[in-house]
Amino acid sequence: MPTRRTTRGAARTPLGGDYDVLVCGASFAGLTVSRELAGSGARVLVVDRYEIGERQTSACGIPTEWLAAMGLMESHRQTFGRLVVHTPFGRSVLSLPWTFSTFDYPTLCRELAAQGDHDFETAKVDGRTGNVVHTDRGDISAPLVVDALGWRRVLGSGYQPPDAPLSRGLEVHPWGTGEDMELWIDRKYVPAGYGWSFPAGEETRIGVGSFDPRFHVKDTTVMLAEDLERDPVRYQGNWIPHRLRAATDDGIFFVGDSAGHCLPLTAEGIRTAFYFGIACGRELRAVVDGDRSIASALARYDDFNEAHRWKFEAMLAAQRVVPRVPPRLLHGAIGAMQAKRFVDWSFGHYLEIAPPAFAALAPPRARVRAPTRVAA
Ligand SMILES: Cc1cc2nc3c(=O)[nH]c(=O)nc-3n(C[C@H](O)[C@H](O)[C@H](O)COP(=O)(O)OP(=O)(O)OC[C@H]3O[C@@H](n4cnc5c(N)ncnc54)[C@H](O)[C@@H]3O)c2cc1C
């Protein structure tokens, strides 16, 4: 268990006030939204129930180009140019056209937060009335409110597992090094889903994700770790949304897992949290700069989200089909995928769903004029 740094009891003083932008959630999505507002002069408050970077929410694997484009290479741990896929019938090695990297979660969050220009407070968000957000430390209001709180979508209509389009993921973090990023598509670990091993410097992140929320992954996560002769220690797990949701609702902007921005089939949700966080942040920035109304920003962000729906639905269709393919046939198909032309084509399209150039093209700008006070 990580050491708890978040203040408790009497140390939690009352919190309140009015801000231009209130960002709820200080992980990948929320911190990216704030980053886009840096230098705008807007009064931005970011709240999270834990201190920044305190609770890891992922195996922290991402296309390396995204880490570089966001200026977050200080958190980098290890890079992989190939993906090793195991099935009950053997292993295949896919030489990737771009690399994946693992990173250190606390360092990344610290670096991302440093690129923003916000106040930060620890508070548990309980809900809202209009644009007044209720926390365990008091009420905060802002004309621009962002829910980057993860799959619970606390400021909208939440999901109730297991009767919701959620996958479940659990991993252990034993000490020990490794060379390859590896996946297991093997029903002995999970009927629908996959197991993984992501080395990250001195530790390896080994886990199992199930597309079926009713399948409990604890026993098979332990089994995979033991099969790899690693200790099943230092657990980390969560629900993972696998269906795109509306990105706005009743005046609130939803980003990252709260909008279902995690990609189905692969459960890759970090770069998409960055991607949609940048898109949302740019809309908020335009409002703060006085170039756009809140209604227009909501509509434009919603349109941006909907333009991606068919890609998310295609990934979801693949997520539903893959577990139905007979294992021997699937092994043959993955083996055929090793062909360079196919890997380049498929992984190229996959990266394009949320391309790193989106971050690199327009880094946060310095304010060029006095900020507009955002009116509700
Ligand atoms: C085991 C596992 C491994 C994964 N591995 C990968 C991977 O390697 N690569 C990848 O791309 N994706 C991975 N994912 C998916 C990825 O973790 C998520 O898609 C990603 O974390 C979404 O980012 P986010 O900022 O939207 O939400 P989160 O990272 O979930 O952050 C939500 C934030 O909101 C805070 N919060 C929640 N509720 C409240 C509240 N009521 N009040 C105040 N604060 C609150 C939380 O403390 C947290 O800081 C993995 C998921 C799991 C479960």
Side-chain angles (χ1 to χ4, degrees):
M1 278 296 266
T3 318
R4 194 182 168 104
R5 292 190 284 120
T6 305
T7 52
R8 305 181 94 168
R12 283 172 88 77
T13 50
L15 179 64
D18 301 312
Y19 288 81
D20 293 325
V21 185
L22 173 59
V23 179
C24 302
S27 186
F28 306 111
L31 293 174
T32 302
V33 172
S34 166
R35 170 188 189 267
E36 288 300 309
L37 292 161
S40 67
R43 293 164 305 142
V44 181
L45 177 67
V46 178
V47 295
D48 197 290
R49 60 187 163 175
Y50 302 120
E51 289 289 347
I52 290 174
E54 185 175 344
R55 288 283 172 108
Q56 182 159 338
T57 57
S58 143
C60 298
I62 187 169
T64 315
E65 282 179 72
W66 261 104
L67 264 196
M70 296 287 286
L72 298 169
M73 286 301 280
E74 194 171 315
S75 65
H76 172 268
R77 284 292 173 273
Q78 208 166 329
T79 291
F80 311 91
R82 63 184 209 166
L83 182 63
V84 178
V85 185
H86 303 265
T87 73
F89 302 100
R91 67 173 219 156
S92 306
V93 178
L94 311 184
S95 292
L96 304 176
W98 38 269
T99 61
F100 260 105
S101 286
T102 46
F103 61 83
D104 178 64
Y105 182 75
T107 308
L108 181 133
C109 289
R110 197 178 57 240
E111 292 294 307
L112 192 52
Q115 293 179 25
D117 184 9
H118 54 246
D119 293 338
F120 173 77
E121 295 285 348
T122 55
K124 180 173 171 292
V125 175
D126 294 323
R128 72 180 171 96
T129 308
N131 279 45
V132 178
V133 171
H134 310 302
T135 78
D136 63 346
R137 293 178 56 196
D139 290 351
I140 310 158
S141 61
L144 295 167
V145 177
V146 177
D147 179 332
L149 294 166
W151 66 270
R152 275 198 181 82
R153 197 173 163 107
V154 178
L155 300 182
S157 52
Y159 277 157
Q160 195 53 46
D163 298 313
L166 296 167
S167 301
R168 64 196 308 161
L170 181 68
E171 61 184 17
V172 291
H173 294 185
W175 296 113
T177 58
E179 281 183 6
D180 282 313
M181 180 172 251
E182 297 177 83
L183 300 183
W184 282 262
I185 305 177
D186 188 332
R187 285 167 199 178
K188 94 174 172 184
Y189 296 124
V190 56
Y194 64 92
W196 65 85
S197 171
F198 288 7
E202 292 175 348
E203 71 170 23
T204 300
R205 297 152 190 171
I206 298 168
V208 174
S210 171
F211 305 143
D212 176 0
R214 287 183 175 76
F215 182 82
H216 292 261
V217 288
K218 169 105 189 273
D219 289 350
T220 55
T221 297
V222 171
M223 189 198 299
L224 178 57
E226 289 177 348
D227 286 352
L228 299 175
E229 299 179 348
R230 301 294 180 102
D231 292 330
V233 291
R234 302 196 292 150
Y235 284 84
Q236 187 277 116
N238 206 347
W239 296 99
I240 309 171
H242 57 232
R243 183 145 219 186
L244 191 72
R245 307 190 69 183
T248 64
D249 185 17
D250 194 25
I252 306 296
F253 294 81
F254 296 89
V255 192
D257 276 8
S258 76
H261 286 150
C262 193
L263 292 167
L265 184 66
T266 60
E268 213 203 323
I270 301 171
R271 75 172 150 120
T272 47
F274 287 162
Y275 178 73
F276 286 96
I278 291 169
C280 176
R282 285 180 186 160
E283 294 302 329
L284 303 187
R285 176 89 190 210
V287 176
V288 168
D289 286 348
D291 296 337
R292 203 163 286 151
S293 68
I294 296 176
S296 165
L298 284 161
R300 285 170 53 97
Y301 179 55
D302 193 46
D303 286 349
F304 180 83
N305 186 63
E306 292 306 320
H308 294 76
R309 186 168 291 281
W310 70 272
K311 298 177 186 174
F312 279 73
E313 289 295 323
M315 295 288 293
L316 183 57
Q319 173 177 305
R320 287 177 177 145
V321 167
V322 170
R324 296 202 178 109
V325 179
R328 194 177 280 281
L329 195 61
L330 189 64
H331 177 72
I334 294 168
M337 279 175 63
Q338 293 175 102
K340 183 170 167 21
R341 269 175 64 182
F342 184 79
V343 178
D344 288 356
W345 175 84
S346 56
F347 277 81
H349 281 287
Y350 177 63
L351 189 64
E352 278 305 303
I353 297 174
F358 193 67
L361 280 178
R365 299 154 290 152
R367 178 160 57 86
V368 289
R369 57 177 183 237
T372 309
R373 279 283 79 88
V374 182

